[in-house]
Amino acid sequence: MNLNAPRGTKDILPEEAERRRALERTFAEVCERYGFGEIRVPTFEHTELFVRGVGDASDIVRKEMYTFLDKGDRSLTLRPEGTAGVARAYIEQGMSSWPAPVKLWYNMNMFRYEKMQKGRYREFWQLGCEIFGSACPQADAQLIGMLVTFFDDLGLDEVNLEINSIGCPACRAAYHQALRDYYAPKLKDMCDDCHERFEKNPLRMLDCKEAYCHSLAEEAPAQLDYLCDDCKEHFDKVKSYLSMMEIPYNLNPRLVRGLDYYTRTVFEFVSSHVGTQGTICGGGRYDGLIREIGNIDVPGVGFALGVERLLLELDAQGIPFGKAARPDLYIASFPSTAANALDLAQSLIRSGLKVETDVMDRSLKAQFKAADRMEAHYVLVLGDTEVSLSRGKLRRLSDGSEQDVPLTAVGTLLHDYRKKLASAKENDRQSTLFKL
Ligand code: HAM
């Protein structure tokens, strides 16, 4: 039997799970501050939803979907992305009758049959947001602002925002023609995929990774020169709102994104650290998607962040975000006081503290070693005398200082210490945020 996890998947062990939980919690808090509600949709959907939603010219649909027939002969697909499923739920659940805009966020695993490499997996997680019902550029700009807030909360910098507008169906026709005119004489030397893209969606040729095709993108006509007045005005407003919020961006006329549903604004946050898979987050407007799958006109805009790439980026920037909290206290004991230590730990943990104690009958020396390894803030040695007097010496490991305290006061002391550390950290954060 093969005991390896399937290629492109991985086990998530406690240390990483802890960091992910912290990331997810921070993201959920940011979403809450911006007025988003959480949505969870099924892991698999009818295949047709992704074919129509994501688009049959996209690499995702052409090559990367995990599609299977169930026992009732229905073609189902493990979700390769979140937007199509969330849009399907918007229609099915009648959210168009909710007060607009409808703002949803999600935290879901996705499945794509891709070539494995650092930052690229076959099962990966996305944190995403979608806004349905607003065609206004404020919605695009606020989503980007929200990402900036999230990165700030994580302590992440050096991620660059790239933006572009890929227009609407009206102005795209002329642009597609310009692209076909540009690529037609070169097509014979281009890859097979580009031949297909030339027919179905020449915009995607700009995104081809094959060396020769890639080299041609540089000189290709830019969509920005073909935008209709409405699309141009929309994009100008997005840019001016970003400038007003002091969010720096790089205008990238070659940015097209890998999914076919986009219209107008597209954007990515890119890092220089995560090797070739530097795109941490991608998003944009998709005003035609709901009509494509549900026959009603509802504009939409959203983004998704790749959790694995975010974690790689935090590592690359040496940010300890989400590392497990240090224990407030380690209670060292002897066989005769092990039960008292267990009991004291139980009440302190119930009061909300993180407390470790020995459950392996180890020597005092080994227990001190464990306390050091866990970087406990304090150690309390609970011997027979301490138990009989109901007092003990609370030793702070950072400086070796000791306090002789009643055991009943230990909880209050540790809670106070925790508050002091948290408030010092918050002061630091505020002073960098407001440059005090
Ligand atoms: P996407 O660009 O395909 O967009 O994916 C968004 C993010 O998911 C990427 O920027 C990347 O960080 C991460 N990601 C994608 N594929 C992989 C992979 N194989 N392994 C690890 N991470 C990956 C979407 O999925 C759109 N649904 C985003 C969106 C939402 N647009 C509007 N609303």
Side-chain angles (χ1 to χ4, degrees), residues 34-233:
Y34 281 86
F36 284 70
E38 186 183 359
I39 184 161
R40 299 180 191 197
V41 294
T43 310
F44 51 85
E45 300 270 359
H46 295 290
T47 301
E48 196 192 353
L49 174 72
F50 299 117
V51 175
R52 302 215 16 200
V54 176
D56 57 4
S58 67
D59 280 358
I60 293 181
V61 169
R62 291 175 55 247
K63 302 178 190 165
E64 297 170 1
M65 295 207 301
Y66 280 91
T67 297
F68 58 97
L69 287 181
D70 74 359
K71 292 194 195 311
D73 259 358
R74 297 171 200 91
S75 177
L76 300 171
T77 294
L78 297 183
R79 60 182 173 223
E81 60 100 51
T83 313
V86 174
R88 196 258 321 127
Y90 176 90
I91 299 162
E92 185 179 345
Q93 305 304 328
M95 292 187 219
S96 56
S97 65
W98 294 10
V102 173
K103 303 199 285 185
L104 302 167
W105 72 270
Y106 52 85
N107 168 19
M108 303 194 292
N109 52 345
M110 308 294 168
F111 307 86
R112 294 185 193 174
Y113 190 79
E114 292 207 75
K115 263 203 200 109
M116 252 294 285
Q117 49 178 282
K118 193 175 174 192
R120 193 198 273 169
Y121 309 97
R122 292 183 177 172
E123 182 189 22
F124 59 96
W125 268 256
Q126 285 186 346
L127 299 168
C129 281
E130 313 291 352
I131 300 182
F132 295 101
S134 168
C136 297
Q138 296 93 300
D140 315 25
Q142 191 171 44
L143 280 173
I144 292 174
M146 185 173 175
L147 282 158
V148 170
T149 303
F150 177 55
F151 293 146
D152 261 2
D153 283 4
L154 298 181
L156 200 64
D157 46 26
E158 297 171 47
V159 273
N160 304 316
L161 170 62
E162 312 231 311
I163 59 169
N164 189 22
S165 173
I166 57 167
C168 64
C171 52
R172 212 177 289 159
Y175 180 54
H176 278 191
Q177 194 49 52
L179 282 176
R180 287 197 179 99
D181 291 347
Y182 170 76
Y183 281 117
K186 307 166 175 76
L187 198 59
K188 60 179 189 325
D189 297 318
M190 297 184 75
C191 71
D192 289 349
D193 284 350
C194 277
H195 280 87
E196 203 176 325
R197 291 172 184 139
F198 184 86
E199 299 303 330
K200 286 190 172 163
N201 183 359
L203 197 67
R204 308 242 2 93
M205 298 170 86
L206 296 171
D207 202 23
C208 185
K209 303 285 180 288
E210 291 292 325
Y212 177 65
C213 308
H214 185 71
S215 70
L216 296 176
E218 196 55 37
E219 298 290 312
Q223 170 83 58
L224 290 177
D225 298 328
Y226 291 81
L227 292 183
C228 62
D229 289 346
D230 286 350
C231 287
K232 190 173 172 324
E233 188 188 340

Side-chain angles (χ1 to χ4, degrees), residues 60 80-84 106 110 112 114 119-126 128-130 257-259 261-262 268-269 277 279-286 301-310:
I60 293 181
E81 60 100 51
T83 313
Y106 52 85
M110 308 294 168
R112 294 185 193 174
E114 292 207 75
R120 193 198 273 169
Y121 309 97
R122 292 183 177 172
E123 182 189 22
F124 59 96
W125 268 256
Q126 285 186 346
C129 281
E130 313 291 352
R257 310 270 306 121
L259 304 95
Y261 49 59
Y262 289 111
E268 289 186 349
F269 278 88
Q277 305 304 314
T279 307
I280 292 175
C281 171
R285 182 161 276 288
Y286 46 85
V301 57
F303 67 76
L305 286 148
V307 172
E308 290 72 14
R309 294 192 194 172
L310 252 180

